[in-house]
Amino acid sequence: MSVGLIIAICLVAANLRITLTGVGALLPEIERGSGLTSIWGGLLSALPLLTFAVTSPVVGRASHRLRSARLLVTALVVLAIGTVVRSLPSVICLFAGTVILSAAIAFGNVLLPALIRRSVPADRIQSISALYVTVMGLMAAVSSGISTPLARSLPGSWRTALAWGVFFTFAALLTWLPRMRGDKPQAAPGSSHSPVPWRSPLAWQVTIFMGLQSLAFYTAVAWLPSILMGHGTSGTSAGWMLFYYQVVSLAASSLLPLLTRGRHDQRWPAAGASLLVAGGFAVLAIDPGLAVLACTLLGIGGGACLVLALTFQSQRVGSSGEAAALAGMAQSIGYLVAAAGPLLLGILHDATQSWTIPLTVLAVLGVTTAIAGHGAGQDRQIGRPAIRPVGSEVQRRPHE
């Protein structure tokens, strides 16, 4: 595993959220500027997740037959196109560009766990997963923090602010274009394709955990500024509070591998992190004035949950092909679950004219996430017995 490969992975990771998180900070201005209601704003925020759900299964099949570097380069080109289209002065372009760039991001979401499973030693999977999650979180936080100031200082207002991340897309392209030469398909022609583990309870626990932690993150990114502005916070301050939430998440995702090093059973870290997220939403529901405390809890829990969710997609399988199959399942079904969050919150807010009930629903879902995380954190692999030396003996645990 070379330093160049790590840099290339991190540059792809930088593009996986940077074009999405700025929308939450800009959503009030987007709604005012385009005439969208809260329901349409929620749909705009949910659209990337719906696109992920539709696109993710395709990636697993394509990665089995085609070359990973070529797929990533194609996805990055499409991402750049979608980012530019979204910033054009048209509501149709706003939604169409969002679909295009989201489809490109879905390829990166699925390909990275499989690439890491293929290229990284087993004992370093969690560390590399945490590294790219850290980069992804850092760029997401920066995008949330600077989007509103950019919208107020650049010509074109929020439309221009939506497009600034395209520079990182070009940087990633420069690192992956040379890797197209000599790259090989993940599987040779005629080899067996790893089936999607639909019948595996463990795979479903990984999938549900992935979906619910994504629901919490994308709902917070979409609506946190609007929630705070509804209680008197300025738009700029609300954007920086979203930045703070993601910085805390970034710190948590960076520290988690150090705290869990050597732990093969991750049931309680997953459950505990999920309960912190539930607590953060509960604090917001009870007293939005305690936004710093709420964002701290959401950030610590959410950052840990994201690393664990991505790590499970690599650790709970025995090959890169199986990792792509599990990632495709976890991210297609998981993002379909997550897409309900921003849209549901917009509908509940319009119906109740309050954020209390929507935030209470999110807190309850956080408890459900803890249950799924406890199952997904088992030290097992799908379809295989787990074998580990204990003293001079070999201990075998049941398999699925």
Side-chain angles (χ1 to χ4, degrees), residues 191-244:
S191 63
S192 60
H193 174 61
S194 297
V196 179
W198 296 115
R199 297 184 179 181
S200 166
L202 179 57
W204 277 105
Q205 288 166 332
V206 171
T207 297
I208 294 170
F209 183 69
M210 176 69 188
L212 291 179
Q213 68 84 26
S214 295
L215 183 151
F217 171 79
Y218 283 103
T219 303
V221 167
W223 289 113
L224 182 61
S226 297
I227 293 169
L228 298 179
M229 291 172 67
H231 289 83
T233 304
S234 69
T236 300
S237 297
W240 284 113
M241 188 58 66
L242 184 59
F243 169 83
Y244 170 74

Side-chain angles (χ1 to χ4, degrees), residues 23-32 37-38 41-42 45 219-235 237-239 241-242 284 288 345-346 349 354-355 359:
V23 175
L26 295 170
L27 191 56
E29 294 189 36
I30 293 173
E31 290 177 346
R32 286 194 299 269
T37 64
S38 293
S45 300
T219 303
V221 167
W223 289 113
L224 182 61
S226 297
I227 293 169
L228 298 179
M229 291 172 67
H231 289 83
T233 304
S234 69
S237 297
M241 188 58 66
L242 184 59
L284 273 181
L345 219 69
H349 177 256
S354 169
W355 291 110
L359 289 168

Side-chain angles (χ1 to χ4, degrees), residues 175-373:
T175 64
W176 280 98
L177 280 170
R179 293 183 176 274
M180 292 177 63
R181 181 181 300 174
D183 188 37
K184 297 180 180 179
Q186 289 190 24
S191 63
S192 60
H193 174 61
S194 297
V196 179
W198 296 115
R199 297 184 179 181
S200 166
L202 179 57
W204 277 105
Q205 288 166 332
V206 171
T207 297
I208 294 170
F209 183 69
M210 176 69 188
L212 291 179
Q213 68 84 26
S214 295
L215 183 151
F217 171 79
Y218 283 103
T219 303
V221 167
W223 289 113
L224 182 61
S226 297
I227 293 169
L228 298 179
M229 291 172 67
H231 289 83
T233 304
S234 69
T236 300
S237 297
W240 284 113
M241 188 58 66
L242 184 59
F243 169 83
Y244 170 74
Y245 154 61
Q246 291 180 88
V247 167
V248 174
S249 177
L250 179 65
S253 63
S254 301
L255 291 174
L256 182 69
L258 299 177
L259 299 176
T260 60
R261 179 174 295 172
R263 292 179 61 101
H264 297 277
D265 189 317
Q266 297 170 325
R267 289 177 295 178
W268 293 111
S274 302
L275 292 176
L276 288 178
V277 174
F281 285 126
V283 169
L284 273 181
I286 295 169
D287 186 0
L290 298 175
V292 173
L293 173 60
C295 288
T296 301
L297 294 174
L298 289 170
I300 294 174
C305 282
L306 177 58
V307 173
L308 290 169
L310 294 174
T311 300
F312 293 161
Q313 294 171 38
S314 297
Q315 285 186 336
R316 298 298 172 256
V317 292
S319 70
S320 61
E322 292 174 348
L326 178 58
M329 174 182 172
Q331 296 189 32
S332 60
I333 303 299
Y335 283 127
L336 189 61
V337 171
L343 185 57
L344 177 63
L345 219 69
I347 292 172
L348 288 176
H349 177 256
D350 276 0
T352 63
Q353 295 300 307
S354 169
W355 291 110
T356 302
I357 292 178
L359 289 168
T360 302
V361 170
L362 290 175
V364 172
L365 288 176
V367 177
T368 306
T369 311
I371 297 171

